[in-house]
């Protein structure tokens, strides 16, 4: 049984920007615009390793799979 897994298809709403570094690796964040059946779009904030975020620009159609995680920004 897989828990906290997600697969999304959407468009990059804004280019990735650096978020933080952890264990010598750089991570980027960017919003992904995902359309609903109603036509309304949700913007979901994604966090990706620099390797996966490299070269993404606004408007790119991408499919992502990963873990669902939440945290509080202070």
């Amino acid at each position: 049984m897989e828990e906290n897994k997600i697969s999304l298809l959407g468009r990059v709403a804004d280019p990735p920007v650096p978020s933080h570094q952890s264990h010598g690796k750089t991570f980027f964040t960017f919003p992904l615009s995902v359309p609903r059946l109603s036509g309304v779009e949700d913007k979901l904030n994604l966090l990706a390793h620099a390797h996966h975020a490299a070269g993404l620009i606004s408007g790119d159609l991408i499919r992502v799979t990963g873990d669902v995680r939440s945290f509080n920004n202070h």
Side-chain angles (χ1 to χ4, degrees):
M1 180 166 105
E2 292 186 34
E3 295 181 14
N4 295 325
K5 299 293 181 187
I6 193 164
S7 179
L8 299 167
L9 177 65
R11 294 201 179 273
V12 176
D14 292 314
V17 294
S19 171
H20 68 281
Q21 288 191 337
S22 179
H23 303 286
K25 297 179 182 178
T26 302
F27 291 85
F28 284 73
T29 186
F30 62 95
L32 185 70
S33 183
V34 180
R36 294 182 179 201
L37 293 176
S38 66
V40 174
E41 292 186 347
D42 288 324
K43 284 192 178 178
L44 305 167
N45 292 319
L46 302 185
L47 183 65
H49 185 277
H51 174 76
H52 297 292
L56 291 178
I57 60 171
S58 295
D60 282 350
L61 181 64
I62 62 171
R63 179 182 305 274
V64 296
T65 57
D67 299 333
V68 176
R69 297 188 184 188
S70 64
F71 57 92
N72 295 324
N73 282 337
H74 296 284

